[in-house]
């Protein structure tokens, strides 16, 4: 049983799971997708008694069949350990009538830790399995959270280097401080003058540059990716959808088999796509609420079937969702076309050349698993305030988007299914927006001093991992133009 992965743009480009993890992006520019969905027989009563790590093993062993049980368990238990402040790893909390799946208890207090704490282990194991002798250079574009979480994961991992690019003016002060204070001989983080889409597009071009690839190999290097285009990030994210459902069953909140909704604050479409795979393997899910901020390209897509990136880009209070090219949507498109690489490729070519593509009416009909909506800046702030006043729970701005859009959806469609908001960040990552929303006193000017104000007002303790970052030395301060990314990499690696 060797489940294999294929590129969304070329059906003869097939690889094993470990090769897909090593490569990140397929050489033809496509993303790796499972050729078929593995069979699962999920017994949620049983699953509800298992710790996160064991659920993770059950799911990942079928998606990564070329890893041995021992290898996979080693990866899982190294990743999901005391780094997580909550022993449940991904606890579900009841807030008002709804549930929140808290994915922010890892070392960088955002949901990227769920996958990026395991990716380095998966990748180094995959390198061993495939007798890779070159040093792996992880190249990452970040809208704020991936960069830190990836560096935390790869810091001083033998045989790897990591280079992160972030939009200099597009991340929160806390996010930036977390990144520029990153330790580790093998880590580099660089600000660029453009936005996240510029960083991501350039990273993809660098990956696809064959001359550079040859040059890298000559110098003993090969690229890989820690972005959510890597299947090694997507699969670990399926786990918490299964785990969340099992917890609800275990806590007696739902009957086994009862359908629920998930509302997911979405940017690059990685998190919600993992949910889609969870539904394919048997989690009883009725509807996905795809929640966007004012960068609402996905809302329009789900309503019209046209994906049009030609629109203004907004810097919002939920910066990790400030994205106009949602890379992982390509995987959904591929599945909607009935796994047609030819058709997927032609749509992606449309996007690259004209800035838009349109799916067929039949494909659009198959999109009914998803409802797209968006929240404005003032709706986000109002949601943080309302939830705090009604339920004494402090939402971060991303999670507030999920709740605000879910409330719009419920009003419109009178859908009574129990709903889980996927909660992607701790409020301490975005203290200014949060304090402004829940407090009437003027917030202090320094974001780091806001921690105290937030703690006092909310009663939620400052997470240990950010408590002292303002005093840590800045180790990275390079800023470049976005068209200088490749040159900068070549210099950094001393390529000859
Ligand atoms: C990355 C991120 C998102 C968006 O997730 P995607 O998988 O890119 O859709 C939402 N919220 C937070 C806090 C994030 O870091």
């Amino acid at each position: 049983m060797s489940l294999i992965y294929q590129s969304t743009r070329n059906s003869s480009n097939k690889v094993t799971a470990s090769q897909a993890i090593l490569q990140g992006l397929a050489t033809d520019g496509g993303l790796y997708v499972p050729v078929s969905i593995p069979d699962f027989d999920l017994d949620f009563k049983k699953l509800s008694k298992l710790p996160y790590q064991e659920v993770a093993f059950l799911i990942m062993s079928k998606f990564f069949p070329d890893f041995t049980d021992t290898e996979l368990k080693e990866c899982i238990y190294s990743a999901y350990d005391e780094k997580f402040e909550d022993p449940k790893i991904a606890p579900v909390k009841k807030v008002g009538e709804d549930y929140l799946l808290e994915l922010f208890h890892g070392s960088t207090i955002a949901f990227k830790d769920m996958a990026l704490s395991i990716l380095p282990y998966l990748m180094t194991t995959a390198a061993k399995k495939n007798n890779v002798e070159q040093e792996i250079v992880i190249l990452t574009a970040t809208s704020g959270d991936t960069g830190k979480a990836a560096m935390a994961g790869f810091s001083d991992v033998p045989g790897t280097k990591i280079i992160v690019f972030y939009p200099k003016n597009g991340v929160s002060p806390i996010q930036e401080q977390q990144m520029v204070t990153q330790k580790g001989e093998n880590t580099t983080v660089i600000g660029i003058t453009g936005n996240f889409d510029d960083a991501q597009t350039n990273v993809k071009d660098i990956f696809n540059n064959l001359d550079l690839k040859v040059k890298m190999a000559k110098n003993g290097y090969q690229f890989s990716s820690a972005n959510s285009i890597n299947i090694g990030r997507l699969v670990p994210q399926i786990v918490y959808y299964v785990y969340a459902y099992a917890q609800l069953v275990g806590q007696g909140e739902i009957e086994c088999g009862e359908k629920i909704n998930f509302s997911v604050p979405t940017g690059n479409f990685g998190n919600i796509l993992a949910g889609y795979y969870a539904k394919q393997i048997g989690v009883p899910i009725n509807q996905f609420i795809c929640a966007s901020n004012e960068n609402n390209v996905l809302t329009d897509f789900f309503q019209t079937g046209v994906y049009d990136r030609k629109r203004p880009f907004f810097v919002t209070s939920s910066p990790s969702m400030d994205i106009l090219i949602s890379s992982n949507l390509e995987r959904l498109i591929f599945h909607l076309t009935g796994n047609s690489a030819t058709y997927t490729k032609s749509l992606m070519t449309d996007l690259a050349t004209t800035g838009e593509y349109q799916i067929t009416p039949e494909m659009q009909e198959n999109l009914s698993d998803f409802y797209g909506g968006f929240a404005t800046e003032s709706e986000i702030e109002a949601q943080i305030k309302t939830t705090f006043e009604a339920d004494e729970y402090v939402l971060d701005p991303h999670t507030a988007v999920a709740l605000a859009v879910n409330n719009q959806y419920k009003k419109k469609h009178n859908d009574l299914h129990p709903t889980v908001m996927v909660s992607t960040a701790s409020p301490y990552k975005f203290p200014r927006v949060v304090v402004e929303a829940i407090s009437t006193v003027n917030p202090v000017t320094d974001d780091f001093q806001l921690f105290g104000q937030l703690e006092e007002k909310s009663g939620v303790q400052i997470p240990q991992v950010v408590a002292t970052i303002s005093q840590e030395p800045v180790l990275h301060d390079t800023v470049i133009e976005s068209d200088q990314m490749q040159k900068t990499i070549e210099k950094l690696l001393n390529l000859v």
Side-chain angles (χ1 to χ4, degrees):
M1 202 219 49
S2 173
L3 177 103
I4 40 178
Y5 288 84
Q6 77 154 79
S7 165
T8 48
R9 299 190 194 178
N10 176 1
S11 55
S12 52
N13 183 355
K14 289 197 171 75
V15 294
T16 63
S18 63
Q19 288 165 342
I21 291 169
L22 274 173
Q23 286 184 33
L25 194 65
T27 43
D28 50 59
L31 309 189
Y32 285 116
V33 279
V35 173
S36 63
I37 301 292
D39 275 331
F40 280 91
D41 185 11
L42 300 175
D43 177 345
F44 289 102
K45 283 243 163 65
K46 237 192 204 154
L47 287 171
S48 72
K49 298 191 179 71
L50 298 184
Y52 190 85
Q53 294 83 349
E54 286 187 44
V55 178
F57 176 72
L58 254 161
I59 304 303
M60 288 193 224
S61 56
K62 287 212 184 170
F63 278 96
F64 299 149
D66 61 332
F67 284 69
T68 67
D69 288 1
T70 316
E71 285 170 341
L72 208 49
K73 279 189 180 154
E74 230 173 80
C75 293
I76 289 169
Y77 283 91
S78 309
Y80 305 112
D81 61 6
E82 305 77 48
K83 286 193 286 298
F84 285 78
E85 268 190 351
D86 191 309
K88 279 190 157 166
I89 310 293
V92 176
K93 306 249 166 95
K94 183 154 195 186
V95 174
E97 289 172 9
D98 302 305
Y99 304 93
L100 293 186
L101 169 60
E102 293 183 345
L103 301 180
F104 54 76
H105 294 289
S107 51
T108 75
I109 63 173
F111 102 97
K112 303 292 194 292
D113 291 325
M114 299 307 297
L116 283 167
S117 48
I118 193 167
L119 184 68
Y121 296 103
L122 294 173
M123 200 170 284
T124 45
T125 308
K128 263 186 230 139
K129 299 180 82 64
N130 290 278
N131 304 313
V132 171
E133 272 156 22
Q134 292 165 331
E135 190 162 4
I136 298 168
V137 179
I138 306 292
L139 207 54
T140 295
T142 184
S143 58
D145 290 332
T146 295
K148 175 63 188 184
M151 285 193 292
F154 280 96
S155 173
D156 290 328
V157 172
T160 70
K161 280 194 184 355
I162 173 160
I163 306 172
V164 169
F165 294 98
Y166 73 97
K168 176 68 190 160
N169 298 315
V171 301
S172 84
I174 307 290
Q175 287 177 314
E176 182 166 36
Q177 183 72 7
Q178 280 185 307
M179 286 193 278
V180 297
T181 56
Q182 177 65 45
K183 298 188 184 78
E185 283 299 315
N186 63 340
T187 66
T188 307
V189 58
I190 296 170
I192 65 153
T193 51
N195 61 34
F196 170 74
D197 289 313
D198 299 321
Q200 176 163 260
T201 304
N202 287 331
V203 162
K204 277 191 180 173
D205 287 346
I206 292 168
F207 270 121
N208 293 333
N209 183 329
L210 282 181
D211 293 339
L212 183 61
K213 196 174 172 163
V214 171
K215 205 169 175 187
M216 288 279 288
K218 255 198 346 218
N219 286 267
Y221 292 119
Q222 81 175 54
F223 283 131
S224 189
S225 168
N227 277 105
S228 57
I229 50 176
N230 194 316
I231 199 78
R233 266 189 65 184
L234 204 53
V235 170
Q237 292 178 175
I238 300 172
V239 175
Y240 51 74
Y241 286 93
V242 179
Y243 184 70
Y245 190 90
Q247 279 186 79
L248 288 175
V249 170
Q251 292 163 12
E253 297 288 343
I254 56 171
E255 295 295 324
C256 220
E258 184 178 347
K259 285 195 172 174
I260 65 171
N261 294 343
F262 280 97
S263 180
V264 189
T266 297
N268 222 359
F269 210 73
N271 195 353
I272 197 167
L273 185 74
Y276 177 78
Y277 283 125
K279 180 170 178 173
Q280 310 299 311
I281 66 170
V283 180
I285 297 169
N286 169 58
Q287 189 82 54
F288 291 102
I289 320 298
C290 177
S292 301
N293 62 26
E294 287 172 359
N295 294 296
N296 57 358
V297 58
L298 286 166
T299 307
D300 290 347
F301 171 70
F302 285 117
Q303 281 166 11
T304 64
V306 177
Y307 192 93
D308 183 358
R309 57 163 291 208
K310 303 184 302 301
R311 59 180 69 217
F313 175 87
F314 301 107
V315 173
T316 73
S317 59
S318 45
S320 303
M321 297 156 65
D322 289 346
I323 290 174
L324 293 180
I325 307 173
S326 300
S327 290
N328 275 292
L329 189 64
E330 178 169 344
R331 289 189 161 110
L332 179 67
I333 296 289
F334 174 81
H335 294 306
L336 290 176
T337 60
N339 293 5
S340 164
T342 318
Y343 196 61
T344 307
K345 185 177 175 182
S346 78
L347 291 179
M348 294 307 135
T349 306
D350 287 350
L351 182 65
T353 53
T354 69
E356 66 171 89
Y357 62 80
Q358 174 158 24
I359 61 172
T360 65
E362 301 82 68
M363 283 167 74
Q364 212 182 335
E365 263 170 47
N366 292 329
L367 273 183
S368 59
D369 277 340
F370 297 90
Y371 166 86
F374 76 101
T376 63
E377 288 297 280
S378 57
E379 287 169 334
I380 295 168
E381 193 177 331
Q383 187 63 57
I384 295 173
K385 187 177 159 75
T386 313
T387 300
F388 180 65
E389 285 172 355
D391 306 306
E392 287 175 14
Y393 185 94
V394 185
L395 299 164
D396 100 287
H398 302 75
T399 309
V401 171
L403 201 54
V405 174
N406 186 57
N407 288 338
Q408 294 167 9
Y409 165 77
K410 273 203 302 202
K411 248 192 218 145
K412 229 192 219 160
H413 294 273
N414 197 25
D415 182 338
L416 299 176
H417 289 88
T419 301
V420 177
M421 288 348 113
V422 179
S423 178
T424 51
S426 156
Y428 281 97
K429 206 149 191 178
F430 307 94
R432 175 160 308 274
V433 190
V434 174
V435 169
E436 277 173 1
I438 65 174
S439 170
T440 47
V441 297
N442 274 345
V444 286
T445 46
D446 180 336
D447 264 35
F448 298 97
Q449 288 171 15
L450 282 170
F451 283 170
Q453 272 183 334
L454 182 50
E455 185 170 50
E456 196 179 309
K457 185 85 185 153
S458 70
V460 179
Q461 247 189 341
I462 304 175
Q464 205 155 12
V465 286
V466 292
T468 56
I469 56 164
S470 68
Q471 288 126 48
E472 285 169 23
V474 170
L475 303 172
H476 310 267
D477 58 3
T478 310
V479 180
I480 60 166
E481 301 283 330
S482 60
D483 60 1
Q484 295 298 304
M485 286 168 53
Q486 182 175 331
K487 258 205 195 125
T488 307
I489 293 167
E490 294 194 36
K491 225 161 76 202
L492 208 73
L493 298 175
N494 291 317
L495 297 190
V496 290

